[in-house]
């Protein structure tokens, strides 16, 4: 049972444009969400997070939006750069529990 | 920033042998470490939670006698894959949690069982 889903396995975006990566979850107990970036044969690198008390969190070129009623979050990267090409995972955890449940990942390719 | 290392980065072993993977937090103390595995083009799946000085907590479906976890100190956790089979071939990743409850991931270990 995949509780965190990333329905787009891949996404290609032109350099300079906005990249939007989507994530849906089913477990209503999740209230803390994170995005990680991963290169092949490396561990994930933390990008940005958001708790359920907020609907938006911004850090430089990265913004995460959370829609609790739709159980949906998205990561916006603008402007997209070639170095952003990687696999992006969203992850979620319930309140007071540090266990992370990861989505299946979206491979983002930025086209120069 | 917080750095987590894993050793080895890549290992090939024969069926039936055991392999030990080390996970170290280099510049912070981690009372809790996590072990994940990732199959090609799939998500990271949590295998177990490792707490310093106590027994690890395994996720459902993970054999604790096959995947032995030892969290000997605040900076070191080890995962031993015992009696390895080809289906154990995977990418194993650890993470360490700091006092702010942030998780930092190691670079991973590619295990190939022949």
């Amino acid at each position: 049972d995949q509780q965190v889903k990333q329905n787009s396995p891949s996404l290609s975006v032109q350099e300079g444009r906005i990249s939007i990566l989507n994530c849906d979850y089913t477990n209503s107990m999740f209230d803390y969400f994170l995005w990680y970036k991963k290169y092949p044969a490396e561990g994930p690198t933390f990008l940005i997070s958001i708790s359920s008390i907020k609907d938006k969190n911004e850090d430089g070129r990265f913004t995460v939006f959370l829609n609790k009623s739709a159980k949906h979050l998205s990561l916006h990267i603008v402007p997209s750069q070639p170095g952003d090409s990687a696999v992006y995972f969203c992850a979620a955890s319930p309140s007071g529990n540090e266990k992370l449940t990861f989505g299946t990942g979206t491979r983002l390719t930025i086209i120069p | 920033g917080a750095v987590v290392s894993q050793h080895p980065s890549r290992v090939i072993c024969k069926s039936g042998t055991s392999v030990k993977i080390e996970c170290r937090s280099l510049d912070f103390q981690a009372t809790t470490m996590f072990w994940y595995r990732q199959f090609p083009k799939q998500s990271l799946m949590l295998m177990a939670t490792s707490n310093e000085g106590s027994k690890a907590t395994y996720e459902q479906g993970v054999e604790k006698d096959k995947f032995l976890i030892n969290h000997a100190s605040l900076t070191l956790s080890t995962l031993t894959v015992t009696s390895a089979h080809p289906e154990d071939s995977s990418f194993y990743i650890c993470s360490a949690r700091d006092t702010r409850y942030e998780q930092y991931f190691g670079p991973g270990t590619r295990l190939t069982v022949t």
Side-chain angles (χ1 to χ4, degrees), chain A residues 31-37 45-59 62-66 73-75 89-93 100, chain B residues 100-104:
Chain A
D31 69 351
Y32 188 61
F33 306 90
L34 310 91
W35 283 95
Y36 287 87
K37 177 180 180 180
T45 303
F46 171 75
L47 278 177
I48 193 169
S49 64
I50 188 168
S51 72
S52 60
I53 62 173
K54 301 175 76 173
D55 55 18
K56 176 183 175 181
N57 189 24
E58 191 171 353
D59 183 2
F62 303 93
T63 303
V64 56
F65 295 92
L66 175 63
L73 64 153
S74 60
L75 174 68
F89 289 94
C90 65
S93 68
L100 295 177
Chain B
R100 298 172 301 165
Y101 290 82
E102 296 286 345
Q103 283 191 43
Y104 299 92

Side-chain angles (χ1 to χ4, degrees), chain A residues 2 4 6 32 34 36 38-46 49 87 89-90 98-105 107, chain B residues 10 32 34 36 38 41-46 49 51 57-59 91 93 97 101-108 110:
Chain A
Q2 191 69 35
V4 180
Q6 293 174 255
Y32 188 61
L34 310 91
Y36 287 87
K38 185 179 181 300
Y39 294 113
E42 292 185 13
T45 303
F46 171 75
S49 64
V87 177
F89 289 94
C90 65
E98 56 209 348
K99 291 184 184 179
L100 295 177
T101 300
F102 281 83
T104 48
R107 179 177 300 280
Chain B
R10 185 181 295 266
T32 303
F34 303 88
Y36 297 82
Q38 183 188 23
K41 298 184 179 180
Q42 293 191 25
S43 182
L44 282 77
M45 300 298 294
L46 179 66
T49 302
N51 295 294
T57 303
Y58 290 81
E59 294 301 299
F91 192 59
I93 306 174
R97 192 201 75 187
Y101 290 82
E102 296 286 345
Q103 283 191 43
Y104 299 92
F105 286 81
R110 170 75 58 194

Side-chain angles (χ1 to χ4, degrees), chain A residues 20-38:
Chain A
I20 300 176
L21 297 104
N22 294 302
C23 180
D24 297 291
Y25 61 97
T26 58
N27 189 338
S28 57
M29 299 301 291
F30 289 148
D31 69 351
Y32 188 61
F33 306 90
L34 310 91
W35 283 95
Y36 287 87
K37 177 180 180 180
K38 185 179 181 300

Side-chain angles (χ1 to χ4, degrees), chain A residues 65-103:
Chain A
F65 295 92
L66 175 63
N67 183 333
K68 279 195 69 178
S69 60
K71 293 190 176 66
H72 176 84
L73 64 153
S74 60
L75 174 68
H76 292 210
I77 307 172
V78 57
S80 299
Q81 299 173 356
D84 296 329
S85 295
V87 177
Y88 289 79
F89 289 94
C90 65
S93 68
S95 173
N97 188 326
E98 56 209 348
K99 291 184 184 179
L100 295 177
T101 300
F102 281 83

